[in-house]
Amino acid sequence: MRLIPSLLRSVLSHDLPRSRVLAALLLITVLGLALAPFVFPGTKALNVAAKILVFIVLVSSYDLLLGYTGIVSFAHTMFFGIGAYGVAIASSRMAPGFTALAVGIGGALAVSLLLALVIGLFSLRVKAIFFAMITLAVAAAFQGLASQLSDFTGGEDGLNFRLPELLSPSTEFLEEPVLGVVIDGRLLTYYLLFVVAVMLVLALLRIVNSPFGRVLQAIRDNDFRAEALGYRLVTYRTLSTLLAAVFATLAGALLAIWLRYNGPDTSLSFEIMLDLLLIVVIGGMGTIYGAVIGSALFVLAQSYLQDLMRIGASAVEGVPVLSQLIAPERWLLWLGVLFVLAVYHFPNGLVGRLRQARRGS
């Protein structure tokens, strides 16, 4: 019996939830994502679950920058797009297979590391808003470049490509469905995303709870004191940028593998960057668990709030003001209201509030 808690502590890098409510939410999220194809049938539910997995990795990687190192960067979606374009370009120009995926991911990682190194060495010496503006300019330039190089990127139309036969929806491994679910390449692709996402999140937990992660938090809290202790700020900030770029690139590759398509609006849109900021604030900065909970809540609200409002609008049809307020086309307004309420009631994020309540009790 003691072996299980010890193993769990080791897997979570001794960073336990420290709140029963948070532990329950994490367990529900993980089990929900693991069983999504069987518990929530339908194409939309599976797409939502896959998007949650991708965003968990992407938001966790951004939290390494913002929450743990204190770096405000607007170029994070650039690395996300590089990962997606790497897979798309390689798979569209090479024969469908795992070799094409490996080449695409490897090339994307090389480009991301090079760009992250340049940004880290030349831009991290400037302070706060100036660095944020530099990264915003770089991200905007890269998005424009991706739209204009149509011979490589497909331009505004993007790129469609084929996956290895093993991951193709046309490949069926069993003749009969299991619990009403067809066991095919699409299902295998989803569980590939699930396993890789879990491994990447656990790797990030290991990083932030290592001595290296503690130094990043020290730099975030008081960079002058950290430098006085002998830590080279530029070195650690650059390493943090490189690591965050690697995980964001892998998240982009996962998105492209799932969609079998990539374009500028799919992975390079500034709206994705805004979503990252919202999720980090909602979940709680400086905690990987906040990225998990925040991503799940945000993507679910983004995907189903309009459907819920459509049901509510039909129930109050004919009521002069109320029917207009909860009209489905106003779902973005209510999503913004929910965000404001979340920030007001959970200034430290959902995870921070739950842990604070646990300490208070």
Side-chain angles (χ1 to χ4, degrees):
M1 293 296 291
R2 293 181 179 179
L3 180 61
I4 296 178
S6 176
L7 180 62
L8 184 61
R9 287 175 178 271
S10 179
V11 169
L12 297 179
S13 303
H14 299 276
D15 186 3
L16 298 180
R18 300 196 298 274
S19 166
R20 291 181 179 179
V21 177
L22 177 58
L25 289 174
L26 289 170
L27 183 61
I28 292 171
T29 302
V30 173
L31 288 178
L33 291 172
L35 302 175
F38 299 95
V39 179
F40 309 105
T43 303
K44 180 177 180 178
L46 196 61
N47 285 330
V48 170
K51 185 176 180 181
I52 291 173
L53 290 171
V54 171
F55 263 76
I56 285 174
V57 177
L58 181 60
V59 175
S60 297
S61 65
Y62 187 62
D63 198 35
L64 178 64
L65 275 182
L66 180 61
Y68 285 92
T69 318
I71 297 174
V72 180
S73 171
F74 292 121
H76 205 62
T77 51
M78 177 181 69
F79 303 117
F80 184 59
I82 289 173
Y85 269 114
V87 170
I89 292 173
S91 298
S92 61
R93 291 178 174 269
M94 299 174 62
F98 289 100
T99 301
L101 292 181
V103 170
I105 294 173
L109 286 173
V111 173
S112 290
L113 286 172
L114 179 61
L115 287 174
L117 182 62
V118 171
I119 291 174
L121 293 179
F122 288 94
S123 302
L124 286 174
R125 294 180 181 274
V126 299
K127 295 292 184 179
I129 188 64
F130 300 104
F131 172 71
M133 292 299 101
I134 289 174
T135 57
L136 179 60
V138 172
F142 190 86
Q143 185 178 11
L145 194 64
S147 299
Q148 294 171 8
L149 296 178
S150 56
D151 292 339
F152 293 97
T153 65
E156 294 293 337
D157 295 330
L159 292 172
N160 290 289
F161 58 91
R162 295 174 59 191
L163 291 175
E165 192 65 28
L166 195 64
L167 303 178
S168 175
S170 61
T171 302
E172 295 188 6
F173 301 103
L174 298 177
E175 294 182 359
E176 298 295 329
V178 176
L179 300 176
V181 177
V182 178
I183 309 301
D184 57 7
R186 190 65 167 167
L187 185 67
L188 180 61
T189 304
Y190 175 79
Y191 279 108
L192 174 65
L193 261 66
F194 177 80
V195 171
V196 172
V198 169
M199 292 175 62
L200 292 177
V201 169
L202 292 178
L204 278 166
L205 271 175
R206 181 73 65 180
I207 290 171
V208 299
N209 289 287
S210 67
F212 171 78
R214 302 301 182 193
V215 174
L216 294 184
Q217 294 173 60
I219 293 173
R220 174 200 65 192
D221 295 336
N222 193 321
D223 57 351
F224 179 78
R225 183 178 297 174
E227 190 172 24
L229 291 173
Y231 297 110
R232 295 176 60 88
L233 302 188
V234 173
T235 300
Y236 278 92
R237 284 173 172 165
T238 302
L239 287 174
S240 177
T241 303
L242 290 172
L243 286 171
V246 166
F247 284 95
T249 302
L250 293 175
L254 292 179
L255 178 69
I257 290 172
W258 178 254
L259 296 178
R260 289 170 292 163
Y261 164 82
N262 186 57
D265 293 335
T266 306
S267 57
L268 290 173
S269 171
F270 189 68
E271 292 180 4
I272 300 176
M273 191 67 244
L274 295 178
D275 291 344
L276 291 185
L277 290 169
L278 293 177
I279 295 172
V280 168
V281 172
I282 292 172
M285 290 188 291
T287 165
I288 300 299
Y289 296 132
V292 176
I293 301 299
S295 297
L297 292 176
F298 184 85
V299 174
L300 286 173
Q302 194 179 53
S303 303
Y304 291 107
L305 182 60
Q306 189 173 17
D307 295 336
L308 292 175
M309 289 182 64
R310 186 175 291 110
I311 296 174
S314 62
V316 296
E317 187 176 1
V319 180
V321 179
L322 191 58
S323 61
Q324 292 297 318
L325 283 176
I326 62 175
E329 58 269 18
R330 290 184 172 81
W331 71 277
L332 275 175
L333 168 65
W334 288 104
L335 185 64
V337 171
L338 291 175
F339 170 69
V340 172
L341 292 175
V343 173
Y344 180 78
H345 290 287
F346 307 105
N348 296 323
L350 182 61
V351 172
R353 179 62 180 270
L354 291 174
R355 286 179 167 176
Q356 186 179 12
R358 175 66 177 175
R359 287 194 298 267
S361 62

